[in-house]
Amino acid sequence: MNKSYKITILPGDGIGKEVTQEGQKVLQKIAQLYKHEFQFAKAIIGHTAIEQTGNPLPEETLKQLKKSDAILFGAVGHPKYDNDPNAKVRPEQGLLKMRKELGLYANLRPIKLFDELLGASSIKPEVLKGSDILFFRELTGDVYFGERGRRDEGATAFDTMIYSRYEVERIARKAFVAAQGRRKKLMSVDKANVLESSRLWRETVQEIAKEFPEVEVEHTFVDSAAMLLIKNPRHFDVVLTGNLFGDILTDEASQIAGSMGMLASASVGDTVGLYEPIHGSAHDITGKGIANPLASILSAALLLDISFNLKKESQSVIQAVERTLQAGFRTVDIADSKTSQAMILNTEAMGNKVLEYLAIIN
Ligand code: IPM
Ligand code: MG
């Protein structure tokens, strides 16, 4: 028997519940096919947790997460808070507190394009083809966690963009190590022409770069990086950036892959790793069974690779997704005018298709 692993499933809100179910199914299948022991536990977060306990990240959830070897997370959010800027308790607070408490300072967002989906993007196929980008978004600092508040009796509000050297150093090292194993190009994105925190960022990245002489480094302002992403996505290899810029740029970059429904992410630090789709809770399609589970399934693949170092297992999940797409199966978000109705699958059927191919590959 191989080593045993504890995985916590954290579905969260909206389609998070629907897609993590498929991600979990894939992990179960892997355990069965490759004779691993995965012990699953479930926990609540976000709006679901607020409803049940009043707290978006209950103590019990946090305790459970800290005991895990890895976490498969869905999404948090509920439209009811989006239009209520005065809400004191919000689902997103659960997510931010979890990132901070678990020390998940590095958010890896691979933007990889499956050839079968070249047509699903609104960007021209000839511009896209061959794009393969890995974002390192800093996740526990910046304006997300800096001092904020109101003054002038509430008429003025502020959020502080703040970074310390050690925060930049630790994520920069991870990004450089990744670049070494790829095409050896790293773009650090900041706004050093305006922001002091960006000047510290750039200075620190320049220092760390000396440890990795074989990696070619480029420093780019965020506005220019945003433009270049669409103009020439193939230019990018590893991108290293702060929390807010990374949030924005990775949503933009998701369009290179055709759909947010395809992109997985890993949040890591020094302890447990957390894996999640980059899409949100999508309440507009919740309960319809049409959400694309591939981002959650690909998140499970990242989990196997990064947290458990099960490379073969991880690759087989990616291959199974590839085979599913090659065979022409689509969820509605990645279908196009040429896709016949019979090939458009719902969430569960798409998950099952991937399981079928997993069994064949093995
Ligand atoms: C993300 C999300 C979150 C973020 C929200 C839900 C707080 O957009 O993970 O990219 O801004 O970090
Ligand atoms: Mg975001």
Side-chain angles (χ1 to χ4, degrees), residues 156-229:
T156 305
F158 62 94
D159 299 272
T160 315
M161 186 174 267
I162 178 166
Y163 266 119
S164 298
R165 198 180 292 281
Y166 82 95
E167 293 177 298
V168 186
E169 281 170 0
R170 62 186 180 178
I171 186 158
R173 278 212 180 85
K174 280 198 190 292
F176 273 102
V177 168
Q180 261 179 335
R182 292 173 48 103
R183 300 194 304 280
K184 299 190 170 49
K185 279 176 56 178
L186 182 143
M187 178 190 284
S188 173
V189 175
D190 61 32
K191 188 71 188 171
N193 51 346
V194 178
L195 304 170
E196 196 55 38
S197 55
S198 277
R199 287 192 274 270
L200 176 78
W201 180 280
R202 189 172 287 214
E203 189 182 295
T204 309
V205 174
Q206 282 167 345
E207 266 316 298
I208 301 291
K210 292 182 192 151
E211 298 169 22
F212 300 88
E214 63 282 27
V215 177
E216 180 196 328
V217 187
E218 195 179 2
H219 298 272
T220 306
F221 298 135
V222 61
D223 45 353
S224 167
M227 178 271 294
L228 257 177
L229 258 180

Side-chain angles (χ1 to χ4, degrees), residues 27-234:
L27 289 170
Q28 276 161 336
K29 188 78 181 175
I30 288 287
Q32 183 206 334
L33 291 170
Y34 292 85
K35 310 214 171 355
H36 296 296
E37 193 189 335
F38 294 166
Q39 293 170 32
F40 292 96
K42 216 169 202 167
I44 53 170
I45 189 169
H47 172 69
T48 309
I50 297 175
E51 296 259 277
Q52 291 181 32
T53 68
N55 182 349
L57 182 68
E59 263 318 301
E60 211 171 308
T61 294
L62 199 52
K63 268 217 302 263
Q64 172 64 40
L65 298 178
K66 285 184 176 163
K67 287 196 307 219
S68 319
D69 295 313
I71 304 161
L72 186 70
F73 171 55
V76 292
H78 193 279
K80 118 176 180 199
Y81 306 89
D82 297 346
N83 298 317
D84 178 10
N86 295 317
K88 287 272 171 304
V89 182
R90 318 179 66 88
E92 290 80 3
Q93 291 163 344
L95 177 60
L96 298 181
K97 181 158 180 227
M98 172 169 72
R99 288 172 177 169
K100 197 74 173 177
E101 291 276 337
L102 299 178
L104 303 171
Y105 61 82
N107 183 216
L108 281 64
R109 295 187 165 184
I111 311 286
K112 210 172 143 48
L113 184 70
F114 289 93
D115 276 347
E116 291 72 32
L117 298 183
L118 268 173
S121 174
S122 47
I123 307 173
K124 289 194 208 101
E126 62 268 29
V127 173
L128 285 181
K129 201 168 166 38
S131 304
D132 179 2
I133 311 175
L134 177 58
F135 275 89
F136 277 77
R137 169 191 175 193
E138 200 288 329
L139 206 57
T140 53
D142 203 346
V143 72
Y144 274 66
F145 293 95
E147 200 193 332
R148 69 176 101 246
R150 297 269 177 134
R151 48 178 188 244
D152 306 333
E153 294 165 350
T156 305
F158 62 94
D159 299 272
T160 315
M161 186 174 267
I162 178 166
Y163 266 119
S164 298
R165 198 180 292 281
Y166 82 95
E167 293 177 298
V168 186
E169 281 170 0
R170 62 186 180 178
I171 186 158
R173 278 212 180 85
K174 280 198 190 292
F176 273 102
V177 168
Q180 261 179 335
R182 292 173 48 103
R183 300 194 304 280
K184 299 190 170 49
K185 279 176 56 178
L186 182 143
M187 178 190 284
S188 173
V189 175
D190 61 32
K191 188 71 188 171
N193 51 346
V194 178
L195 304 170
E196 196 55 38
S197 55
S198 277
R199 287 192 274 270
L200 176 78
W201 180 280
R202 189 172 287 214
E203 189 182 295
T204 309
V205 174
Q206 282 167 345
E207 266 316 298
I208 301 291
K210 292 182 192 151
E211 298 169 22
F212 300 88
E214 63 282 27
V215 177
E216 180 196 328
V217 187
E218 195 179 2
H219 298 272
T220 306
F221 298 135
V222 61
D223 45 353
S224 167
M227 178 271 294
L228 257 177
L229 258 180
I230 298 299
K231 188 175 168 200
N232 185 11
R234 269 196 300 268

